[in-house]
Amino acid sequence: MNDALTILRRCGIKPTPQRIAVVNYVLKSTTHPTAEDVLDHSRKKCPTVSRATVYNTLNLLAAKGLLKTQVLKEGTVVFDPNARQHHHFIDDDTGVIYDIPWSSLAVSGKEKLRDYEVREYQVILRGRRTKRK
Amino acid sequence: MNDALTILRRCGIKPTPQRIAVVNYVLKSTTHPTAEDVLDHSRKKCPTVSRATVYNTLNLLAAKGLLKTQVLKEGTVVFDPNARQHHHFIDDDTGVIYDIPWSSLAVSGKEKLRDYEVREYQVILRGRRTKRK
DNA sequence: TTTTGTTCTTGACACCGTCTAAATTTAAAA
DNA sequence: TTTTAAATTTAGACGGTGTCAAGAACAAAA
Ligand SMILES: [Mn+2]
Ligand SMILES: [Mn+2]
Ligand SMILES: [Zn+2]
Ligand SMILES: [Zn+2]
C-alpha cells in the first residue's frame, strides 16, 4: 500500500494535510463510506477540515480514477476505493454493501440490446448475508 | 387500465382526492418519476396536496406491491410503476432510465455465491441510447 | 348531537450536496 | 526580502429530498 503522499503526487494533486487525511481514510477503506463518514474520520487526523474540502477531494479522486462513486444507498452516494469493475450485494437488514468479484458473475444478452450502447454495467443483488461461523 | 378508485379499493386503501391524484399519475407513468415529479403533476388535479402525503401514498403503494422504489439516480429514489422484475439502462447524457425486459439478459454464477442469500437482483447498465430514425 | 377514537394531511424540520465569497496558504515575480 | 498572483480551505448560505409531530378530517360510540 502506497502512502497518501505518494498517491497524490503521482496523480498531480498537490498534497495538503486535508487531502492526505481524506486519502488515508477513503483509499484504505474496505467498506463503501459516505462523504459524511470520510469527514468524521478525516477530522480525527485533521480536526479543522471542512465538508466542502472533503467533497472537493473525493470528487478529485474520482476524476483521477482512484475511486468510483456508486449509487447504491438511498439519499447519498457512496465512494468505492475499488475502482475496478465489480458487482455489489446489499444486505437487507444492515444495509452493508459487499463487493462481488467481477469474475463471479456473467451477464449474457448485452450484445443483443439494439439501441443501447453499453459503456459499463454491474449486477446489484439484495438479500441476506448468511451467518458465518 | 383500471381507474384509480378501483385500484385503491382493491388494495384496501381508503380513496381520498389526494391519493386518487397520486395514483392517477404514477401508475400510468411510463417513465420513472421522482416524488417531486408526482407532486407537481398531482397538484394539477389536487392543488393543495402536500409533499408528505405524496410520499405517504407512494410508500403505501410500494408496500402493496403496486409499484417499486428504485435507487438509480443520485440524491433521490424513483418510483417504478413496473413492479415486475426487470433491468435498467441509464443514459449518460440525459439521465433517462429505460426498462430492459427481464428476458433480455441472463446472469449466471449467482448460485455459486456462498454466504449470500439472494432475494432479488438486477443488472444496471449505463451508456448512450443510439439515435433512432 | 356530542364525545371519543382513528385515519389522514400538512408545515416544519433535519439531512445531503453545491456554491460563493472571504480568509489563508503557497508559489512566483520584482 | 517584499510584493503580487494563484491555489486552496473554510464557514455559511442555499435548494432539493425525505421524515415527523401535531392538527384536521372523518367515523364510531354514547
Ligand atoms: Mn456510512
Ligand atoms: Mn424526474
Ligand atoms: Zn464496491
Ligand atoms: Zn423500471
Side-chain angles (χ1 to χ4, degrees), chain A residues 30-32 68 70 72 78-84 86-89 97-100 122:
Chain A
T30 59
T31 63
H32 296 79
K68 191 159 179 359
Q70 296 277 2
L72 296 171
V78 299
F79 295 88
D80 196 334
N82 179 359
R84 305 188 320 271
H86 61 286
H87 308 288
H88 288 103
F89 180 95
I97 301 165
Y98 297 94
D99 283 349
I100 304 295
Q122 69 170 298

Side-chain angles (χ1 to χ4, degrees), chain B residues 21-110:
Chain B
V22 169
V23 168
N24 261 325
Y25 178 69
V26 74
L27 290 190
K28 286 176 183 157
S29 169
T30 58
T31 63
H32 296 80
T34 66
E36 203 67 20
D37 292 332
V38 178
L39 177 62
D40 291 344
H41 285 268
S42 298
R43 279 190 167 156
K44 290 179 181 172
K45 293 292 178 61
C46 184
T48 68
V49 67
S50 71
R51 178 188 317 282
T53 292
V54 168
Y55 275 97
N56 287 342
T57 304
L58 290 172
N59 290 331
L60 211 47
L61 295 174
K64 296 289 184 181
L66 291 178
L67 54 78
K68 192 159 181 356
T69 65
Q70 296 277 1
V71 180
L72 297 171
K73 274 180 128 96
E74 292 190 14
T76 181
V77 304
V78 299
F79 294 87
D80 196 335
N82 180 359
R84 305 188 319 270
Q85 283 192 301
H86 60 285
H87 308 288
H88 287 102
F89 180 95
I90 304 169
D91 190 290
D92 286 332
D93 301 327
T94 66
V96 173
I97 301 165
Y98 297 94
D99 283 349
I100 304 295
W102 188 249
S103 58
S104 293
L105 301 173
V107 178
S108 58
K110 303 177 301 297

Side-chain angles (χ1 to χ4, degrees), chain A:
Chain A
M1 167 67 74
N2 277 309
D3 73 338
L5 205 87
T6 308
I7 292 170
L8 284 169
R9 283 196 179 126
R10 190 167 45 211
C11 288
I13 301 174
K14 182 185 294 186
T16 65
Q18 293 87 344
R19 287 169 173 171
I20 289 169
V22 168
V23 168
N24 262 325
Y25 177 70
V26 74
L27 290 190
K28 284 175 184 158
S29 169
T30 59
T31 63
H32 296 79
T34 65
E36 203 67 20
D37 292 331
V38 178
L39 178 61
D40 291 344
H41 285 267
S42 298
R43 280 190 168 156
K44 290 180 180 172
K45 293 292 178 63
C46 185
T48 67
V49 68
S50 70
R51 177 188 316 279
T53 294
V54 168
Y55 275 97
N56 287 342
T57 304
L58 290 172
N59 291 331
L60 210 48
L61 295 174
K64 295 289 184 180
L66 291 178
L67 54 78
K68 191 159 179 359
T69 64
Q70 296 277 2
V71 180
L72 296 171
K73 273 182 129 96
E74 295 188 13
T76 180
V77 304
V78 299
F79 295 88
D80 196 334
N82 179 359
R84 305 188 320 271
Q85 283 192 301
H86 61 286
H87 308 288
H88 288 103
F89 180 95
I90 305 170
D91 189 289
D92 286 332
D93 301 326
T94 65
V96 173
I97 301 165
Y98 297 94
D99 283 349
I100 304 295
W102 188 249
S103 58
S104 294
L105 300 174
V107 177
S108 58
K110 301 178 301 298
E111 53 290 339
K112 295 235 187 77
L113 293 177
R114 288 294 147 214
D115 298 335
Y116 299 100
E117 187 180 312
V118 178
R119 176 180 56 80
E120 67 167 26
Y121 66 94
Q122 69 170 298
V123 182
I124 295 182
L125 310 102
R126 293 172 191 272
R128 285 185 183 170
R129 185 110 204 259
T130 57
K131 289 283 184 301
R132 292 186 300 170
K133 298 284 163 33

Side-chain angles (χ1 to χ4, degrees), chain B residues 8-22:
Chain B
L8 285 170
R9 284 196 180 127
R10 189 166 46 211
C11 288
I13 301 173
K14 181 186 291 186
T16 65
Q18 292 86 345
R19 286 169 173 172
I20 289 169
V22 169

